[in-house]
Amino acid sequence: MDFSTALPTYFITLREGVEAALVVGIVLALLKKAKQSRLNSWVYAGVGVGIVVSALIGVLFTWIIKVVTAANPQYASVVEPMLEGVFSVLAIAMLSWMLLWMTKQARFMKAQVEGAITEALTQDANAGWGVFSLILVAVVREGFETVLFVAANFQQGIVPAVGAIAGLASATAIGVLLFKLGVKINIRQFFQVMGVLLVLIVAGLVVSALNHFDEAIANLALSNRASEDLCFYYEHFTKIHSCILGPLVWNTEKILPDEQFPGIVLKSLFGYREHLYIVEAVGYLVFLLTVGGLYFRSLTGGSEKATKTVSVSQR
């Protein structure tokens, strides 16, 4: 069994899981401070139901994929890569948005959670439900992104799901270290490192999405003469060619094959391909320059604000 495909989901679930663990830890700490530890069971219930809902969303996606493929068996070679491409685009959009949004909101996370808990506690009759809903939304939000990423790689079987479970377990362990054992971890640095890794993983997903669409359209063109013109780029005299991705940029098949170590790890994590086409290369660079650029700008902007705040307080 090739566990390299579990690495991307592991790192994504680890990062998203730590975000959820921080919310849970902050809520538990606030309840203890307010002498409302009786509501802890609502917190744990929110975590449990959130994990179950995320898993059910994953099952629903798997069922939709099977139903669509079964309904069009003659086009299975077209439907499967097309669905993978669609789920990849959804995962790219969600993960990119959450990465940028969370980077901006991280500085205010504690204040926001504090405000939500204070509001929930003022409504004695519904305090438990308020705490439960806050935790449920936090867990499902993070779980949904992982489910989308796993769905985008559904042909790889159960291995990505194993990576997601391992990431969730690691995130839980970090939460316990932080809030139960009092171990000091530089959370800001952790999120910065994981953020850079996530940018590279999602950039690789851009290459994978384009590859899926190329495969789907190529299979459609081969299965139906009326669709032959869909392949606007096709070199008949070369062994390696694409349908819609343009000419080959590099061929590292003999130097670093993507089905052998370490190429297979680079492929799983960062979208490395032994055969890279011009459209894939442009897509990868555009993503890094736009989303990656915005992410690094938000990091430097945040550090500049923090420096200004420290200098003002020292005065």
Side-chain angles (χ1 to χ4, degrees):
M1 187 179 289
D2 177 23
F3 284 98
S4 62
T5 54
L7 291 174
T9 45
Y10 171 78
F11 286 116
I12 286 173
T13 312
L14 175 62
R15 187 189 187 282
E16 308 302 330
V18 168
E19 284 179 11
L22 285 177
V23 174
V24 171
I26 291 168
V27 170
L28 289 173
L30 290 172
L31 290 177
K32 185 178 180 181
K33 188 178 179 181
K35 296 181 180 179
Q36 296 291 331
S37 295
R38 62 186 177 84
L39 296 173
N40 284 3
S41 57
W42 289 92
V43 175
Y44 301 131
V47 172
V49 174
I51 292 171
V52 170
V53 170
S54 298
L56 288 175
I57 292 172
V59 171
L60 178 63
F61 274 131
T62 305
W63 178 77
I64 290 171
I65 290 163
K66 286 182 178 177
V67 167
V68 172
T69 305
N72 303 277
Q74 71 275 25
Y75 290 114
S77 62
V78 176
V79 172
E80 285 189 8
M82 185 62 74
L83 284 174
E84 286 182 6
V86 170
F87 284 130
S88 293
V89 170
L90 290 174
I92 290 164
M94 282 292 294
L95 288 167
S96 300
W97 179 78
M98 280 305 297
L99 177 65
L100 297 173
W101 184 82
M102 275 306 300
T103 304
K104 291 179 180 178
Q105 297 298 317
R107 296 186 293 274
F108 314 108
M109 180 188 287
K110 188 175 180 181
Q112 289 173 340
V113 174
E114 236 172 62
I117 288 297
T118 303
E119 187 179 345
L121 292 178
T122 55
Q123 303 169 355
D124 289 334
N126 298 314
W129 285 109
V131 171
F132 173 82
S133 60
L134 174 67
I135 298 297
L136 177 64
V137 169
V139 174
V140 171
R141 185 183 64 196
E142 313 304 346
F144 181 64
E145 294 163 24
T146 307
V147 166
L148 273 178
F149 189 87
V150 174
N153 299 278
F154 69 88
Q155 270 191 337
Q156 296 172 357
I158 199 171
V159 179
V162 172
I165 294 168
L168 184 63
S170 299
T172 304
I174 290 173
V176 170
L177 287 172
L178 285 170
F179 296 102
K180 288 289 184 183
L181 304 180
V183 176
K184 290 185 178 180
I185 298 173
N186 192 326
I187 288 295
R188 185 180 174 187
Q189 201 170 53
F190 170 83
F191 277 123
Q192 285 179 350
V193 172
M194 294 302 293
V196 172
L197 189 59
L198 188 59
V199 167
L200 294 172
I201 288 173
V202 179
L205 196 57
V206 171
V207 175
S208 297
L210 291 169
N211 194 53
H212 292 319
F213 287 127
D214 180 70
E215 183 185 347
I217 294 172
N219 289 338
L220 181 61
L222 289 170
S223 65
N224 189 347
R225 281 195 171 187
S227 307
E228 283 181 353
D229 292 338
L230 288 173
C231 284
F232 59 80
Y233 184 87
Y234 192 92
E235 289 181 300
H236 293 278
F237 302 104
T238 59
K239 188 178 179 181
I240 303 166
H241 50 72
S242 73
C243 178
I244 60 171
L245 300 177
L248 199 65
V249 174
W250 76 45
N251 181 1
T252 54
E253 184 179 356
K254 294 181 180 179
I255 304 169
L256 188 63
D258 58 20
E259 294 300 327
Q260 296 176 18
F261 183 84
I264 193 167
V265 176
L266 295 175
K267 179 181 178 180
S268 299
L269 272 177
F270 308 125
Y272 165 77
R273 290 287 187 279
E274 60 188 30
H275 302 138
L276 187 74
Y277 301 95
I278 186 69
V279 174
E280 291 175 328
V282 169
Y284 189 88
L285 290 173
V286 166
F287 180 87
L288 285 182
L289 291 172
T290 53
V291 176
L294 288 170
Y295 175 67
F296 283 111
R297 198 176 303 165
S298 67
L299 288 182
T300 53
S303 60
E304 284 173 8
K305 284 180 183 178
T307 305
K308 286 179 182 177
T309 303
V310 170
S311 61
V312 169
S313 62
Q314 286 176 344
R315 289 176 188 174

